[in-house]
Amino acid sequence: MSVPLIHIETTPDLPQEADVVVIGGGVVGVFTAYYLARRGVKVALVEKGLVGAEQSSRNWGWCRQQNRDARELPMATKSLDLWEKLAEETGEDPGFRRCGLLYLSQNESELAGWAKWRDFARTVGVTTHMLSQQEATERGRATGRVWKGGVFSPSDGTADPSRAVPVTARAIMSAGGTVHQNCAARGIEVSAGRVSAVVTEKGTIRTRVAVMAGGAWASSFCHQLGIRFPQASIRASIMAVAPGANDLPDALHTAEISMTRRSNGGYTLAISGRARVDPTPQQLRFIREFIPMFARRWRSLAPGGLEGWRQGHETLRKWRLDAVTPMEKVRILDPKPDMKQIRLTHSRACDLMPGLRPMAISNVWAGYIDSTPDGVPAIGEVESIPGFILAAGFSGHGFGIGPGAGHLIADLITGKPPIVDPRPYRPERLSASAWGRVADF
Ligand SMILES: Cc1cc2nc3c(=O)[nH]c(=O)nc-3n(C[C@H](O)[C@H](O)[C@H](O)COP(=O)(O)OP(=O)(O)OC[C@H]3O[C@@H](n4cnc5c(N)ncnc54)[C@H](O)[C@@H]3O)c2cc1C
């Protein structure tokens, strides 16, 4: 009943040296290694559990520009182009389709917010259509309701979270890179003031460049190196129903429920933004930085329990490089779903879309969504350790923008013109206050 994910065979032997070692086999690490391998860079990717098994398989699969913050929109637009090319480039199917995203609402101020975003998006060449009452009701006919209005973003789409990341990891190996599962990176060695090796549980890889793409584990890893990376995660619960419901929208957002058609014809169902905050030592450490973010989102957040503490991804403990670390104890961050919320999600979905009622629940899961204080990812070399590149804090948007982020990191490493302006993502910005800078959506 947990999250659907295809499993892949990876490289058995760890190399002794590599040009770049990527730590973390989520969407960000995998696309980074993919674009590096395609450029002939000798890259090794190490993943403590299974490729794609954390956030990158637990999401809705939306690849969207719609309602994106101005700082992330260029990366979202480029990513959609990269998603589109991927199947042809790799011969693998990531389940990507430009199916468009549909937003329906009964709320005037929500519609006004979307119209404001549409006006901004036009200035950067992104087209999105506001829907009149009649158009929204027509597009949302499967609900049987009359809607005040909505938005349809035709150039957005979805990819399949159960396969997109594993199949791209296979393409890394076809392009000459190596991928190592069940192989946690315990730390970094620094010589002459820069990265000189990545120490893993299976041996040391000499390298001058290490990319930390460890998702919700990034801050505790950085803490070992004396790097202060303010990061917090919230626990979102989500579910899927079996195939069989027809004539429903491919991807729909409403205030009550959001739904996404999966590649197998089933639907992923979730309540947008709804999550639990599980207190951890790391959260307490960074609480001040996250006040603006939580102040903005508090209506959809509820207090959680000790689940996050137990998982250990937000520990403040220092670990040794020659002993088992928290990453080896928890190979896959697989938190308990909030069953009360799952029941609410299902009943709301069946009320909104009666066509879903006969469909059996196929999967129920939860995922920790890692965030920075301003809701924009941290991507770039950390000034204090040359050769150490941070790529985390994707704040609930990383699946869709994973290809663009990976491409950008490969550009930065190989000295190519960056696919998008890297400045909005500089990790150093996080030492300033986030007041007035929290991403709008
Ligand atoms: C319920 C939910 C819904 C979401 N919906 C969407 C959506 O519709 N669209 C969207 O764009 N985004 C969405 N997101 C967010 C998106 O899934 C994440 O932003 C994205 O997957 C983050 O990718 P990542 O590679 O940074 O992290 P992850 O996918 O979490 O990958 C990090 C990997 O690093 C590994 N790792 C960590 N530390 C180490 C170490 N020391 N050594 C080796 N390996 C290590 C972990 O095991 C993990 O596999 C959603 C997230 C959730 C949970």
Side-chain angles (χ1 to χ4, degrees), residues 24 26-28 47-48 55-56 58-60 62 185 396-400:
V27 69
V28 176
E47 162 55 52
K48 67 178 169 56
Q55 292 175 83
S56 296
R58 291 164 193 268
N59 59 72
W60 305 358
W62 285 33
H397 319 145
F399 184 72

Side-chain angles (χ1 to χ4, degrees), residues 11 28 63-64 71-72 90 163 177 215 235 249 269 292-293 356 378 400 434:
T11 320
V28 176
C63 305
R64 72 176 163 93
R71 288 162 287 181
E72 256 181 47
T90 61
R163 55 181 297 113
R235 176 165 45 104
L269 308 174
M293 166 73 80
L356 289 172

Side-chain angles (χ1 to χ4, degrees), residues 34 38 83-92 94:
Y34 171 66
R38 279 172 61 84
W83 275 118
E84 198 152 45
K85 286 190 219 149
L86 196 65
E88 202 184 318
E89 244 171 47
T90 61
E92 298 269 12

Side-chain angles (χ1 to χ4, degrees), residues 7 86 93 124 137 215 234 290 320 336 355-356 359 375 437 439:
H7 294 186
L86 196 65
D93 176 15
V124 289
T137 303
I234 52 173
F290 278 91
R320 290 168 33 179
K336 280 204 188 83
L356 289 172
M359 302 309 136
R437 299 184 52 81

Side-chain angles (χ1 to χ4, degrees), residues 38-258:
R38 279 172 61 84
R39 291 174 198 192
V41 174
K42 188 174 178 199
V43 59
L45 180 144
V46 294
E47 162 55 52
K48 67 178 169 56
L50 297 176
V51 163
E54 293 196 350
Q55 292 175 83
S56 296
S57 54
R58 291 164 193 268
N59 59 72
W60 305 358
W62 285 33
C63 305
R64 72 176 163 93
Q65 303 163 101
Q66 180 65 40
N67 292 339
R68 275 269 173 265
D69 187 89
R71 288 162 287 181
E72 256 181 47
L73 184 56
M75 189 180 275
T77 304
K78 294 285 186 190
S79 294
L80 283 155
D81 295 342
L82 297 172
W83 275 118
E84 198 152 45
K85 286 190 219 149
L86 196 65
E88 202 184 318
E89 244 171 47
T90 61
E92 298 269 12
D93 176 15
F96 175 75
R97 290 176 314 135
R98 279 210 200 241
C99 53
L101 306 177
L102 175 63
Y103 289 60
L104 299 173
S105 182
Q106 306 288 20
N107 181 309
E108 293 289 0
S109 80
E110 190 171 42
L111 289 167
W114 294 344
K116 194 168 152 213
W117 188 88
R118 184 264 325 260
D119 295 344
F120 148 70
R122 265 189 195 146
T123 66
V124 289
V126 175
T127 304
T128 188
H129 303 301
M130 290 303 292
L131 304 176
S132 65
Q133 182 185 71
Q134 195 187 344
E135 289 163 334
T137 303
E138 171 54 21
R139 282 198 181 264
R141 60 188 173 279
T143 66
R145 297 186 190 174
V146 174
W147 294 90
K148 266 210 171 99
V151 181
F152 184 67
S153 60
S155 55
D156 287 341
T158 61
D160 183 348
S162 70
R163 55 181 297 113
V165 172
V167 301
T168 308
R170 264 200 309 240
I172 299 171
M173 295 181 282
S174 307
T178 61
V179 178
H180 311 273
Q181 297 183 111
N182 291 309
C183 182
R186 290 177 173 169
I188 302 294
E189 281 178 5
V190 176
S191 315
R194 66 165 297 131
V195 167
S196 59
V198 172
V199 179
T200 81
E201 62 179 304
K202 292 186 176 161
T204 297
I205 312 174
R206 286 193 308 282
T207 187
R208 287 172 61 78
V209 182
V211 179
M212 180 4 88
W217 301 79
S219 183
S220 61
F221 190 93
C222 287
H223 182 55
Q224 312 300 312
L225 305 168
I227 299 165
R228 188 173 196 282
F229 172 39
Q231 183 187 35
S233 60
I234 52 173
R235 176 165 45 104
S237 297
I238 169 168
M239 61 183 292
V241 291
N246 296 318
D247 300 326
L248 306 185
D250 288 314
L252 169 68
H253 164 89
T254 69
E256 294 154 285
I257 198 81
S258 294

